[in-house]
């Protein structure tokens, strides 16, 4: 039998100066024991006003649980508990077709939240207040280093609390302040840096087949602008031959946004990708077995190892910089922002503008030089 966490609390008499502190050891009011067992919060009178006697009673109660006995007690509350609310909410989300990694994340985070509350003897949704939530959010810094992840965790937590409020288990819905997401810097590779990256692949991955696959993945991401998840899970049928142009193009949908993307590949890059060896004929870089997220994580590890080997262990370059390189090159070449947004598969042009605002100036410089050149050409024609 699992041994519950047993808490001592004080039932203060009228007029006690410590009435606001149910765990005060400084008064002679009646002492009780409280614990949570089989979905209910229970209590038992110590029949003493001494804190020392209450500690002794708690130890004896714990020994009873260890021996497998079920001590007699009185239920303190018939309200829905946090544990019950978590179980119902998880069931509701699962029946709503939430599954896989998203469901596992939800279960893990709610389990962590419930454990945090129980350590503070909070067993009912009605007892969750803003101070408790602020304290809980303060623990995220070490668990979730990314501000984007913290924002997602807070959104899931708020959805759970709203579920409790909508069902009448909380009189008021506490509201945490928004989390500002730190936008990662745009770090495109220079032509020289990218060439160096390709040159170092055989040195980092000595096995020929592995080196060939790593290089092909780099080429795909660099020249298509695909995010690593979309590149790793790309199917062979999604690189199609455009007979009219005599070129190959990537034609797929982004998994993050569902937005369709279609872009041409340089002939030598397309040829290299099409020849990449893989045990599964359906894909280029995935076997199709196991979790998709596991495959992506594995490739991220490989590419990060390559970047650290080439640019140093403290480099800010990540696999995402290949996508940045594609976008910045397109903007610098004068391709309109709206078209670059489509090539990247962004759901909004605003996302593209926000991510690549520092590079809009170089694009504008190029456009300005073209306009000035057109003026000069026009003046010559009129002479």
């Amino acid at each position: 039998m699992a041994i519950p966490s047993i808490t001592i609390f004080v039932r203060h008499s009228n007029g006690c100066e410590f009435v606001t502190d149910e765990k005060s050891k400084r008064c002679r009011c009646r002492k009780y024991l409280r614990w949570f067992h089989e979905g209910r919060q229970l209590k038992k009178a110590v029949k003493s006003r001494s804190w020392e006697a209450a500690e002794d009673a708690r130890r004896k109660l714990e020994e009873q649980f260890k021996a497998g006995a079920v001590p007699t007690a009185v239920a303190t509350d018939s309200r829905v508990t946090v544990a019950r609310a978590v179980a119902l909410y998880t069931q509701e989300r699962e029946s709503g077709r939430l599954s896989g990694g998203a469901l596992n994340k939800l279960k893990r985070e709610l389990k962590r939240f419930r454990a945090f509350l129980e350590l503070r003897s909070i067993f009912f949704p009605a007892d969750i207040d803003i101070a408790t939530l602020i304290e809980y959010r303060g623990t995220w810094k070490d668990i979730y280093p990314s501000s984007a992840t913290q924002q997602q965790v807070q959104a899931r937590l708020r959805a759970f609390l709203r579920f409790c409020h909508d069902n009448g288990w909380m009189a008021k819905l506490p509201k945490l302040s928004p989390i500002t997401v730190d936008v990662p810097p745009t770090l495109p590779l220079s032509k020289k840096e990218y060439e160096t990256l390709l040159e170092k692949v055989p040195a980092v991955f000595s096995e020929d087949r592995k080196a060939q696959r790593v290089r092909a993945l780099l080429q795909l991401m660099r020249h298509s602008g695909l995010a690593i998840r979309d590149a790793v899970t790309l199917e062979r049928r999604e690189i199609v031959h455009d007979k009219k142009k005599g070129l190959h193009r990537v034609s797929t949908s982004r998994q993050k946004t569902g937005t369709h993307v279609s872009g041409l590949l340089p002939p030598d890059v397309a040829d290299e990708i099409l020849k990449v060896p893989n045990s599964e004929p359906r894909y280029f870089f995935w076997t199709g077995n196991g979790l998709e997220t596991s495959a992506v994580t594995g490739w991220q590890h490989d590419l990060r190892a390559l970047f650290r080997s080439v640019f140093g262990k403290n480099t800010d370059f990540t696999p995402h910089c290949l996508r940045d390189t594609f976008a910045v090159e397109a903007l610098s070449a004068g391709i309109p922002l709206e078209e670059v947004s489509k090539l990247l598969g962004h759901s909004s042009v605003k996302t593209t503008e926000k991510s690549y605002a520092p590079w809009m100036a170089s694009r504008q410089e190029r456009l300005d030089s073209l306009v000035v050149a057109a003026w000069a050409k026009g003046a010559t024609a009129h002479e």
Side-chain angles (χ1 to χ4, degrees):
M1 176 186 294
I3 302 173
S5 175
I6 303 169
T7 304
I8 301 171
F9 73 98
V10 184
R11 182 67 60 81
H12 293 283
S13 304
N14 291 333
C16 178
E17 62 178 308
F18 305 108
V19 68
T20 59
D21 183 5
E22 71 166 13
K23 295 184 181 180
S24 174
K25 299 180 181 180
R26 295 178 289 175
C27 67
R28 300 292 296 175
C29 297
R30 296 182 186 278
K31 307 300 189 289
Y32 289 81
L33 301 178
R34 179 169 59 206
W35 66 95
F36 191 75
H37 183 62
E38 295 183 345
R40 295 190 303 164
Q41 183 171 279
L42 306 171
K43 72 173 182 179
K44 186 173 184 177
V46 175
K47 297 181 180 179
S48 173
R49 297 173 183 269
S50 163
W51 191 271
E52 290 73 18
E55 290 281 9
D56 186 56
R58 179 169 64 176
R59 284 191 291 271
K60 290 179 180 178
L61 190 60
E62 287 176 344
E63 290 299 322
Q64 287 182 270
F65 275 110
K66 290 178 181 178
V70 180
T72 57
V74 177
T76 63
D77 208 313
S78 60
R79 294 175 294 171
V80 170
T81 62
V82 170
R84 178 63 174 159
V86 166
L88 288 171
Y89 181 65
T90 304
Q91 183 179 355
E92 191 268 344
R93 297 296 292 129
E94 196 167 3
S95 64
R97 303 258 178 124
L98 185 68
S99 61
L103 181 62
N104 291 334
K105 286 179 183 177
L106 177 65
K107 289 180 177 179
R108 182 175 63 247
E109 289 160 11
L110 291 180
K111 181 180 179 181
R112 189 173 285 147
F113 182 50
R114 177 185 165 190
F116 175 87
L117 295 176
E118 289 182 358
L119 283 174
R120 288 151 183 79
S121 298
I122 298 174
F123 300 103
F124 300 96
D127 298 330
I128 301 172
D129 57 16
I130 189 63
T132 301
L133 294 178
I134 292 173
E135 185 182 0
Y136 178 57
R137 190 168 74 172
T139 67
W140 294 357
K141 183 172 59 176
D142 296 327
I143 304 172
Y144 312 113
S146 166
S147 57
T149 302
Q150 291 178 19
Q151 187 184 67
Q152 293 169 4
V153 171
Q154 180 162 305
R156 283 189 278 265
L157 176 61
R158 180 166 176 77
F160 167 68
L161 295 175
R162 180 168 291 282
F163 176 79
C164 294
H165 178 264
D166 290 346
N167 282 282
W169 307 328
M170 298 179 74
K172 185 179 180 181
L173 182 63
K175 185 177 180 181
L176 285 165
S177 59
I179 293 175
T180 301
V181 176
D182 299 325
V183 179
T186 303
L187 290 173
L189 292 161
S190 68
K191 183 178 180 181
K192 180 62 178 176
E193 286 168 337
Y194 183 64
E195 289 175 352
T196 302
L197 197 66
L198 293 181
E199 289 171 2
K200 295 293 184 180
V201 169
V204 178
F205 303 95
S206 56
E207 198 267 311
D208 289 344
R209 185 175 184 275
K210 180 67 174 182
Q212 184 181 351
R213 288 166 57 74
V214 170
R215 181 187 160 95
L217 181 60
L218 291 172
Q219 291 278 67
L220 174 62
M221 293 176 65
R222 160 64 183 86
H223 293 282
S224 69
L226 289 179
I228 190 167
R229 181 182 177 188
D230 299 316
V232 168
T233 58
L234 187 72
E235 298 185 26
R236 289 186 179 271
R237 63 179 180 84
E238 292 177 312
I239 291 187
V240 297
H241 185 252
D242 189 323
K243 294 181 179 179
K244 185 177 180 179
K245 294 182 173 61
L247 297 169
H248 285 84
R249 68 168 63 248
V250 175
S251 181
T252 186
S253 294
R254 288 206 65 202
Q255 297 197 37
K256 183 177 181 180
T257 62
T259 306
H260 180 72
V261 292
S262 178
L264 294 171
L265 291 170
D268 59 322
V269 172
D271 186 59
E272 182 175 351
I273 296 168
L274 290 170
K275 290 179 179 177
V276 70
N278 194 31
S279 58
E280 168 55 54
R282 179 179 172 183
Y283 300 97
F284 291 103
F285 304 101
W286 183 32
T287 63
N289 298 320
L291 293 175
E292 178 183 299
T293 51
S294 299
V296 175
T297 300
W299 277 108
Q300 283 177 325
H301 176 80
D302 288 338
L303 296 191
R304 286 179 185 275
L306 175 64
F307 279 103
R308 286 192 291 268
S309 177
V310 176
F311 303 114
K313 64 179 182 179
N314 295 321
T315 182
D316 290 325
F317 283 130
T318 68
H320 192 79
C321 72
L322 297 166
R323 182 169 165 83
D324 288 339
T325 304
F326 171 83
V328 170
E329 182 182 82
L331 288 170
S332 299
I335 298 177
L337 180 67
E338 295 77 10
E339 300 305 319
V340 174
S341 183
K342 290 179 181 178
L343 290 170
L344 292 171
H346 284 159
S347 57
S348 169
V349 176
K350 291 182 180 180
T351 303
T352 316
E353 189 171 13
K354 182 179 179 181
S355 300
Y356 300 104
W359 302 96
M360 298 299 289
S362 63
R363 174 173 171 266
Q364 187 62 53
E365 285 291 332
R366 184 182 183 281
L367 292 174
D368 289 346
S369 64
L370 291 173
V371 170
V372 172
W375 290 346
K377 186 177 180 179
T380 303
H382 285 93
E383 289 178 358

